[in-house]
Amino acid sequence: MSSISEAGVVTSVGKELFIGGKWVPATDGKTFPVLDPSTGESLCEVADASPADGVSALDAAVAAQADWANVAPRERGEILRRAYELLIKRANKLALLMTLEMGKPLAESKGEITYAAEFFRWFAEEAVRIDGGYAVAPNGSGRFLVTKQPVGPCLLITPWNFPMAMGTRKIGPAVAAGCTMVIKPAAQTPLSMLALAAILAEAGLPEGVLNVLTTSDSGGVMEPLIRDGRARKLSFTGSTGVGRKLLEQCADKVLRTSMELGGNAPFLVFEDADLDAAIEGAMTAKMRNIGEACTAANRFYVQRGIVDEFSRRLTERMEALPMGRGTEEGVVVGPLIDEAAVEKVSGLVADATERGARVLTGGSTVDGPGNFYQATVLTDVPKDARLASEEIFGPVAPITPFDSEDEAIAAANDTEFGLVSYVYTSDLKRALRVSERLEAGMIGLNQGLVSNPAAPFGGIKQSGLGREGGSVGIDEFLETKYIAVAL
């Protein structure tokens, strides 16, 4: 990895808009900077799309849709397979690029590239498994034919925290289903998506199938496309607040939607749990991606008999985590994405301590350049603390004791969110009881990581609509058509 130049890897990426298979500047010539969150310095400038550029991108997607839908499923799958192989081959360079723009340590960036590539491999195989049906009408007078077709041009919006994987998780099933796309990556981390667009073109994706808009004005560029009427689906990953606004906009043209929104994941540890496994799971669920993940453990509920021991051991582990720029060897805690993220985390911790929570380690920002916040453990966190209801998106673990199973479940479910919950127990009956009662789309049972391209990812309540990944992920990009046949 050390032989790869930081400047070289940034220079190698296209900085313009990718529309109709070509790299083009923004129509008004505007650009915006991409900042290194560990230093605050600019890495480069990228094209700043205007609403007119958005229309051009949708024009390209609409123009390519009919021909792309007629491409054989096997060929669509082979394109994804070739893109998978290119991602794996270039994982080191892509990981460095991701670390520079997002901040996570190189080891985690490398892991994300591998994870991202797996979505392409998975959906390459799903492309040839799109099925239908044939049945005799109940009265015997006719036949039912059922087929599935691509939903049509799609609008995709991805977040900054997993800039490659959130792209492949949407692009993979869209390509497999035969849909064209306009994708807008987050302004903080556009370089990974621009690199991905070049890889897909190299893998043989036809012109106009994927169009990439980088912009500092997400709402101004995307809302006209949502209300245009020619796009038929919106897939969004981001905050619940933004998701609500997008749903309102989609209602105007009755766009099909997939929404992977915010989380407030509870992490339940019962007295009969394997404590070693629980601590390992807690570190994974809390500190993956520096805590900047919708699946991150947000609230730790630990049974009273072991809460002191759990708190002590978690504190020791968090204190030992090396912090620094993600490119430095051995670093585990990188910077948060921007100053606003640091201010949010600082405010949540201050609110909790003012209400009686105790800081066992961390609890403050770090002097010097970059958006760093210490790995933090809080205990005796009261129920009315903002930490209990707001998504932290940072390296802070708030611990609250509980006495009974019912109390733990009630606390876990006391949220508008329902993305993922984590449960640690050695009692099989309890594991099943609690898992069934928790209001979440995903359960981590004795493990701190639930994400897998082969599994359906998504939440309930205000954590979203639809599922990504797994055998159901491609269905989000397909319409079911019924053909009545008279005999």
Side-chain angles (χ1 to χ4, degrees):
M1 189 80 75
S2 60
S3 63
I4 303 173
S5 161
E6 292 184 16
V9 77
V10 173
T11 301
S12 68
V13 180
K15 311 300 189 303
E16 296 180 309
L17 310 176
F18 189 67
I19 299 176
K22 297 177 175 60
W23 296 98
V24 297
T27 52
D28 56 12
K30 290 184 178 179
T31 62
F32 66 91
V34 181
L35 304 181
D36 180 340
S38 68
T39 64
E41 298 176 356
S42 175
L43 294 168
C44 62
E45 297 268 337
V46 298
D48 194 355
S50 67
D53 295 314
V55 173
S56 295
L58 183 57
D59 288 344
V62 171
Q65 179 59 58
D67 287 343
W68 176 238
N70 287 326
V71 170
R74 178 68 72 188
E75 176 55 24
R76 299 199 298 263
E78 288 301 313
I79 291 170
L80 288 174
R81 178 71 190 195
R82 291 193 291 269
Y84 158 79
E85 292 169 352
L86 289 170
L87 282 170
I88 295 300
K89 181 180 179 180
R90 298 171 189 171
N92 286 343
K93 289 183 178 180
L94 293 169
L96 177 57
L97 182 69
M98 184 184 299
T99 290
L100 291 175
E101 67 173 344
M102 187 267 161
K104 71 180 72 177
L106 276 172
E108 285 209 53
S109 292
K110 181 75 176 290
E112 182 180 335
I113 300 302
T114 302
Y115 173 54
E118 283 297 324
F119 282 105
F120 280 176
R121 179 156 70 163
W122 174 262
F123 285 109
E125 297 161 348
E126 290 295 292
V128 296
R129 293 178 174 82
I130 300 171
D131 58 11
Y134 176 89
V136 177
N139 63 6
S141 65
R143 301 294 183 266
F144 299 160
L145 292 181
V146 177
T147 186
K148 294 179 181 178
Q149 298 178 329
V151 68
C154 299
L155 305 176
L156 313 177
I157 302 175
T158 58
W160 52 261
N161 57 338
F162 290 94
M164 186 70 78
M166 297 303 95
T168 60
R169 195 159 76 179
K170 298 180 189 300
I171 293 169
V175 168
C179 297
T180 60
M181 296 150 278
V182 175
I183 189 166
K184 188 209 72 66
Q188 297 97 324
T189 56
L191 301 180
S192 292
M193 182 57 66
L194 293 170
L196 183 60
I199 284 174
L200 282 160
E202 184 178 345
L205 194 68
E207 294 180 355
V209 175
L210 176 69
N211 304 276
V212 181
L213 296 171
T214 54
T215 180
S216 63
D217 182 16
S218 179
V221 170
M222 296 306 291
E223 183 174 356
L225 304 187
I226 293 170
R227 298 189 185 278
D228 181 284
R230 291 179 294 166
R232 296 312 311 145
K233 176 181 173 61
L234 170 70
S235 178
F236 169 74
T237 297
S239 72
T240 296
V242 174
R244 292 191 191 106
K245 293 179 182 178
L246 292 174
L247 284 169
E248 292 176 359
Q249 294 170 16
C250 288
D252 182 48
K253 299 298 181 182
V254 196
L255 262 67
R256 188 167 178 172
T257 59
S258 298
M259 295 277 167
E260 197 267 282
L261 305 178
N264 188 9
F267 191 102
L268 278 56
V269 185
F270 290 90
E271 289 177 344
D272 57 21
D274 179 334
L275 200 53
D276 290 336
I279 292 295
E280 289 299 327
M283 293 299 296
T284 299
K286 178 69 265 182
M287 294 306 295
R288 179 181 179 229
N289 217 56
I290 326 168
E292 294 177 313
C294 56
T295 56
N298 212 59
R299 301 167 290 149
F300 289 83
Y301 297 108
V302 184
Q303 202 154 17
R304 196 172 300 277
I306 59 169
V307 66
D308 290 341
E309 178 68 6
F310 180 90
S311 301
R312 181 186 65 79
R313 293 176 62 173
L314 185 62
T315 298
E316 290 176 354
R317 291 290 300 274
M318 294 282 271
E319 283 179 337
L321 298 177
M323 175 184 289
R325 193 167 186 249
T327 55
E328 298 171 4
E329 186 174 354
V331 164
V332 176
V333 184
L336 299 183
I337 189 63
D338 52 29
E339 292 181 3
V342 176
E343 291 173 0
K344 177 185 177 182
V345 172
S346 297
L348 290 173
V349 171
D351 171 78
T353 55
E354 289 169 3
R355 296 174 188 272
R358 293 187 297 118
V359 178
L360 298 185
T361 189
S364 65
T365 56
V366 178
D367 292 334
N371 307 313
F372 292 94
Y373 195 90
Q374 296 176 328
T376 299
V377 178
L378 306 174
T379 191
D380 299 329
V381 178
K383 294 180 180 179
D384 62 349
R386 288 170 53 202
L387 283 167
S389 59
E390 297 183 29
E391 193 170 20
I392 301 170
F393 245 62
V396 178
I399 300 173
T400 300
F402 70 85
D403 293 302
S404 69
E405 183 177 307
D406 286 344
E407 179 187 355
I409 293 170
N413 289 341
D414 187 19
T415 174
E416 65 183 8
F417 300 103
L419 186 61
V420 60
S421 296
Y422 302 94
V423 181
Y424 275 78
T425 177
S426 296
D427 185 326
L428 177 59
K429 292 181 179 180
R430 169 178 281 155
L432 294 176
R433 276 197 314 269
V434 174
S435 294
E436 290 182 1
R437 292 178 63 190
L438 286 171
E439 297 171 354
M442 300 176 289
I443 305 294
L445 182 55
N446 292 324
Q447 67 177 58
L449 181 66
V450 298
S451 301
N452 191 303
F457 186 102
I460 62 174
K461 300 198 290 190
Q462 295 197 38
S463 284
L465 303 166
R467 293 294 182 270
E468 294 182 312
S471 59
V472 300
I474 197 170
D475 289 336
E476 300 286 342
F477 293 85
L478 294 167
E479 295 284 12
T480 298
K481 178 179 285 187
Y482 151 59
I483 304 169
V485 182
L487 293 184

